[in-house]
Amino acid sequence: MPLAEGEWKLSYSANGVHPGASFTFGTWRTGYYLLEPFEIKNADVTNSDTPLPREDGVRLGQDFTGGATITFEVGVDTVDDGATAAARHAANLDAVSVMQQAWDGRAVRSLMATPAVLSTTQGGRARRWYGRPRQCAPAASKLTKQGYTPVVANFATVHTGSFDDVEQSVRVDMAPPPHRGIKGPLKAPLAMVGEGTVRTPGEIVVGGNRPTWPVISITGPISQPVCELVGRWKLQLDLTLKAGEKVVIDPRPWVRTALRGSASIAGLITRSSPLLENLLIPRGRQDLVLRGTDATATAFMTVAWRDAYAYL
């Protein structure tokens, strides 16, 4: 269910004895409303500029940046949750504890490369970030006994910009073998454009205003599978998949793995393939193709992605 306008949700899965979270805040309805507008602050750029020898100026190098930090000032309000001051005080302590438990994030902190998800709806746009909850600091306030405590909390993302909260995906079957011309009998209409045209298998349209990373799943039987983004890159795996066997290549920075089940197959990616960090799909209409050897013609590939944005 999408969040209401102005709401935020912090979520992650449980891990052993550490509980997960699905904590919604940001509006009066939730009881955890924003006192000030949220702030998204990108990390400073780390550059590798080098001074030019024996002259003024610098030679520009490659620039990199860390993720963003999203900061919230939250009012935890339980003024209406009790008929007495003691009841309101107890309810407020419970509510602050709920927020601190969610922000503690111990279920993800104990796992390498495992992010939490922070999602929101702003201006009718559903967006999300990947990262970890960091500071959560309730302020010392005389109003706590009356059922109100201000809290400052922030969330450290592992990337800049945001992603569409809705994931899109497309199934791509094996590319048909090369053919010459067409065979009859033919039936009208034969038009390949205009009204009634069928979408080409593997055709996708990427929105947003930034390139995005796809999650690629290839299901066998297939040998020497190749995922090609036409005109951009080819990813080839030096392996054979049995019927129903699957590999998943996830180049997103907070994952960046190539797995068959739980085993890494990164060493089976051919040298001619791009680095995982470069498996980006640009904006606009793109074509994806699955190639390889499959006598049954039943192998297929699923490509999932989220549109990416520089801000919201």
Side-chain angles (χ1 to χ4, degrees):
M1 181 178 178
L3 295 171
E5 178 66 29
E7 287 186 347
W8 294 76
K9 183 170 74 172
L10 172 66
S11 57
Y12 50 84
S13 299
N15 174 28
V17 299
H18 302 300
S22 182
F23 175 68
T24 303
F25 65 100
T27 62
W28 183 270
R29 183 188 69 84
T30 65
Y32 301 86
Y33 49 81
L34 298 189
L35 302 174
E36 297 290 343
F38 62 89
E39 178 187 59
I40 302 177
K41 184 177 181 180
N42 290 328
D44 293 336
V45 171
T46 300
N47 65 67
S48 54
D49 298 345
T50 304
L52 292 173
R54 300 175 59 81
E55 60 178 299
D56 296 338
V58 297
R59 184 180 301 279
L60 298 176
Q62 289 183 299
D63 297 341
F64 301 94
T65 182
T69 299
I70 307 176
T71 302
F72 306 97
E73 293 183 35
V74 180
V76 182
D77 192 333
T78 58
V79 173
D80 296 329
D81 290 1
T84 66
R88 291 191 291 271
H89 187 197
N92 196 251
L93 295 177
D94 286 342
V96 173
S97 293
V98 168
M99 181 173 181
Q100 284 213 297
Q101 170 58 38
W103 231 266
D104 177 66
R106 194 161 298 185
V108 288
R109 284 197 287 120
S110 58
L111 298 174
M112 291 288 292
T114 301
V117 176
L118 181 68
S119 52
T120 186
T121 298
Q122 302 290 330
R125 305 175 176 195
R127 301 287 185 261
R128 66 164 49 190
W129 292 260
Y130 296 89
R132 294 224 177 134
R134 296 304 189 198
Q135 180 190 42
C136 182
S141 173
K142 295 179 180 179
L143 296 177
T144 298
K145 291 186 177 182
Q146 303 302 320
Y148 172 82
T149 301
V151 178
V152 175
N154 58 40
F155 182 89
T157 72
V158 295
H159 54 83
T160 59
S162 63
F163 293 88
D164 199 316
D165 204 40
V166 177
E167 184 180 74
Q168 302 179 68
S169 65
V170 64
R171 171 173 166 151
V172 184
D173 292 310
M174 284 286 293
H179 60 84
R180 301 290 185 268
I182 56 178
K183 295 182 178 180
L186 304 176
K187 295 182 180 180
L190 299 178
M192 298 301 291
V193 295
E195 186 177 355
T197 300
V198 178
R199 180 174 171 176
T200 302
E203 175 191 337
I204 66 172
V205 178
V206 177
N209 54 25
R210 279 184 168 181
T212 190
W213 287 281
V215 179
I216 303 164
S217 301
I218 301 174
T219 303
I222 189 171
S223 296
Q224 303 296 305
V226 178
C227 171
E228 178 182 358
L229 180 63
V230 177
R232 300 287 180 175
W233 46 256
K234 294 181 182 180
L235 174 72
Q236 182 171 357
L237 301 173
D238 184 17
L239 54 73
T240 297
L241 297 177
K242 299 176 182 178
E245 199 172 19
K246 181 169 69 173
V247 296
V248 179
I249 298 95
D250 190 340
R252 298 175 299 175
W254 52 95
V255 184
R256 200 149 286 171
T257 57
L259 300 175
R260 175 164 51 186
S262 59
S264 174
I265 49 106
L268 300 179
I269 298 175
T270 63
R271 293 176 63 87
S272 61
S273 301
L275 298 175
L276 292 185
E277 66 191 66
N278 295 325
L279 287 183
L280 286 163
I281 304 179
R283 296 171 57 242
R285 181 193 178 283
Q286 309 295 334
D287 292 293
L288 292 156
V289 177
L290 172 64
R291 294 192 174 91
T293 303
D294 171 20
T296 67
T298 57
F300 66 92
M301 171 176 70
T302 302
V303 179
W305 76 96
R306 298 178 190 272
D307 293 341
Y309 300 85
Y311 183 56
L312 284 167

